[in-house]
């Protein structure tokens, strides 16, 4: 587990879950198992923990505990597999979104701008779509959309056109190929930030991350018991906005709907006012905590 990241805001996450000894909990982003191990420490003999992870590498961290059940699937299938394992309703769900340090550090996975490797970026290595496919096959309009929406890149249109022109000469296969192809579009002095935005956009598209998050959030409301806790940690504004809106309004855009009696028609109440962020001390010891935003809600 040491190659995976140190869990961010571990105590805050556990407090957010408000763990009951004999409760049933779901960790939908198992990774290195840091959060799952802490949940199991707080559960009694009658407790159950269901953990999800679509990345085959996460299976090297499985926990030998009769209270622990692992599901090798994306969390967008939360409801189906919770039903399959007979755990509905559950008392708490934890999601630690984004890419793990371990995934970033595996050069051949193509997640990091630090290495040269084939453009891959699949969290599920059985998935068909890769970043190489996106870069070489998407139209200029499609690339403009993903760079603008998912990467929040200022010059998304010209970036897309540059890629489409460059691939006419030769396919863009590796990270180095992509960096070379777009070098004239990268603002001076902001190379790392810009490339991180480009990679974020490609990764979100390859893994359908925002669609999966929306499906997961909707299903969490159906899987949780009344009084159950939803604890979600995100690392960029696109994810956090979806989580914030769903907790506040029960939907991802627009205003909250009312029932016949004028009451807010939404499944959750926020436990914390606004997002919880890591302490200065934690950020000093764990750089990943810098951009983390934690939101906690209780099922009505």
């Amino acid at each position: 587990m040491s190659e995976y990241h140190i869990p961010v805001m571990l105590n805050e996450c556990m407090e957010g879950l408000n763990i009951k000894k004999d409760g049933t909990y779901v960790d939908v982003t198992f990774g290195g198992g840091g959060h799952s191990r802490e949940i199991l420490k707080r559960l009694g003999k009658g407790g159950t923990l269901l953990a999800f992870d679509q990345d085959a590498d996460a299976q090297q961290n499985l926990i030998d505990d009769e209270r622990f059940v692992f599901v090798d699937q994306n969390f967008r299938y939360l409801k189906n597999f919770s039903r399959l394992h007979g755990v509905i309703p559950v008392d708490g769900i934890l999601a630690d979104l984004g890419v793990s340090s371990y995934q970033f550090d595996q050069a051949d996975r193509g997640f990091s701008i630090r290495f040269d490797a084939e453009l891959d970026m699949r969290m599920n290595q059985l998935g068909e779509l890769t970043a190489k496919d996106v870069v070489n096959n998407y139209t200029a309009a499609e690339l403009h959309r993903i760079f603008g929406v998912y990467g929040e890149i200022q010059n998304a249109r010209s970036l897309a056109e540059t890629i489409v022109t460059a691939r006419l000469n030769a396919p863009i296969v590796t990270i180095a190929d992509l960096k070379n192809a777009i070098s004239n579009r990268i603002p001076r002095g902001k190379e790392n930030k810009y490339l991180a935005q480009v990679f974020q956009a490609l990764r979100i598209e390859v893994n359908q991350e925002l669609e999966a998050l929306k499906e997961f959030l909707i299903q969490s409301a159906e899987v949780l018991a009344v009084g159950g806790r939803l604890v979600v940690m995100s690392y960029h504004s696109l994810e956090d906005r979806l989580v914030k809106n769903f907790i506040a309004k029960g939907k991802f855009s627009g205003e909250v709907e009312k029932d016949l009696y004028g009451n807010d028609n939404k499944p959750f109440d926020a436990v914390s006012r606004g997002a919880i962020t890591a302490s200065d001390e934690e950020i000093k010891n764990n750089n990943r905590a810098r951009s983390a935003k934690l939101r906690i809600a209780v099922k009505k």
Side-chain angles (χ1 to χ4, degrees), residues 1-7 30-34 37 55 57-58 60-61 99-109 114-115 286 288:
M1 193 194 109
S2 59
E3 292 183 81
Y4 279 77
H5 65 260
I6 302 163
F30 178 69
R37 284 180 173 79
D55 189 342
D57 285 355
Q60 65 194 14
N61 304 312
V99 182
S100 71
S101 300
Y102 171 84
Q103 288 169 321
F104 272 125
D105 290 342
Q106 301 303 299
D108 61 336
R109 301 291 294 274
R114 291 178 292 145
F115 309 112
N286 184 3
R288 182 177 159 83

Side-chain angles (χ1 to χ4, degrees), residues 5-64:
H5 65 260
I6 302 163
V8 173
M9 290 192 273
L10 183 61
N11 288 332
E12 291 89 337
C13 287
M14 296 304 117
E15 287 170 11
L17 285 171
N18 194 28
I19 295 169
K20 298 186 289 190
K21 286 276 189 184
D22 60 348
T24 300
Y25 294 86
V26 187
D27 177 356
V28 298
T29 47
F30 178 69
H35 286 113
S36 283
R37 284 180 173 79
E38 193 62 32
I39 292 169
L40 287 167
K41 277 185 199 172
R42 296 165 188 245
L43 285 177
K45 289 184 178 178
T48 301
L49 174 62
L50 194 67
F52 284 71
D53 207 299
Q54 64 182 335
D55 189 342
D57 285 355
Q59 295 184 42
Q60 65 194 14
N61 304 312
L62 295 186
I63 303 167
D64 184 13

Side-chain angles (χ1 to χ4, degrees), residues 258-264:
K258 305 281 187 180
D259 64 17
L260 292 171
Y261 303 100
N263 301 311
D264 287 351

Side-chain angles (χ1 to χ4, degrees), residues 65-78:
D65 189 311
E66 61 185 14
R67 301 168 298 169
F68 177 79
V69 179
F70 182 76
V71 178
D72 59 344
Q73 292 286 344
N74 186 294
F75 60 32
R76 72 194 311 168
Y77 304 115
L78 169 68

Side-chain angles (χ1 to χ4, degrees), residues 31-243:
H35 286 113
S36 283
R37 284 180 173 79
E38 193 62 32
I39 292 169
L40 287 167
K41 277 185 199 172
R42 296 165 188 245
L43 285 177
K45 289 184 178 178
T48 301
L49 174 62
L50 194 67
F52 284 71
D53 207 299
Q54 64 182 335
D55 189 342
D57 285 355
Q59 295 184 42
Q60 65 194 14
N61 304 312
L62 295 186
I63 303 167
D64 184 13
D65 189 311
E66 61 185 14
R67 301 168 298 169
F68 177 79
V69 179
F70 182 76
V71 178
D72 59 344
Q73 292 286 344
N74 186 294
F75 60 32
R76 72 194 311 168
Y77 304 115
L78 169 68
K79 187 176 179 181
N80 282 349
F81 283 91
S82 295
R83 185 190 290 124
L84 180 67
H85 289 283
V87 299
I88 297 176
V90 305
D91 298 296
I93 299 171
L94 172 68
D96 181 6
L97 305 174
V99 182
S100 71
S101 300
Y102 171 84
Q103 288 169 321
F104 272 125
D105 290 342
Q106 301 303 299
D108 61 336
R109 301 291 294 274
F111 285 114
S112 176
I113 62 174
R114 291 178 292 145
F115 309 112
D116 188 26
E118 191 163 296
L119 287 162
D120 190 328
M121 302 195 197
R122 291 172 298 170
M123 288 183 177
N124 179 352
Q125 289 161 295
L126 298 177
E128 292 183 2
L129 185 67
T130 68
K132 183 175 70 172
D133 298 328
V134 174
V135 167
N136 287 287
N137 299 327
Y138 275 35
T139 65
E142 289 170 327
L143 289 172
H144 176 205
R145 175 185 63 81
I146 69 164
F147 290 133
V149 177
Y150 298 159
E152 298 178 294
I153 292 169
Q154 296 276 323
N155 62 348
R157 185 189 298 277
S158 57
L159 172 64
E161 290 168 352
T162 297
I163 288 172
V164 170
T165 301
R167 74 193 190 196
L168 292 173
N169 298 321
I172 300 169
V173 175
T174 66
I175 292 169
D177 291 344
L178 179 59
K179 286 181 180 177
N180 290 334
I182 67 174
S183 59
N184 291 338
R185 295 294 168 204
I186 302 174
R188 290 252 177 99
K190 297 182 179 178
E191 290 85 356
N192 286 345
K193 182 182 179 186
Y194 187 88
L195 287 168
Q197 289 173 286
V198 171
F199 273 50
Q200 174 179 295
L202 291 170
R203 195 196 75 226
I204 288 173
E205 178 66 16
V206 167
N207 297 289
Q208 296 187 297
E209 290 177 36
L210 300 186
E211 292 87 346
L213 177 57
K214 287 179 182 178
E215 290 175 30
F216 156 70
L217 289 169
I218 291 166
Q219 291 172 41
S220 70
E222 299 167 352
V223 168
L224 276 165
V226 173
R229 296 291 189 98
L230 175 67
V231 178
V232 184
M233 191 148 48
S234 56
Y235 297 87
H236 61 74
S237 59
L238 297 175
E239 290 174 334
D240 182 58
R241 199 174 302 133
L242 292 178
V243 176

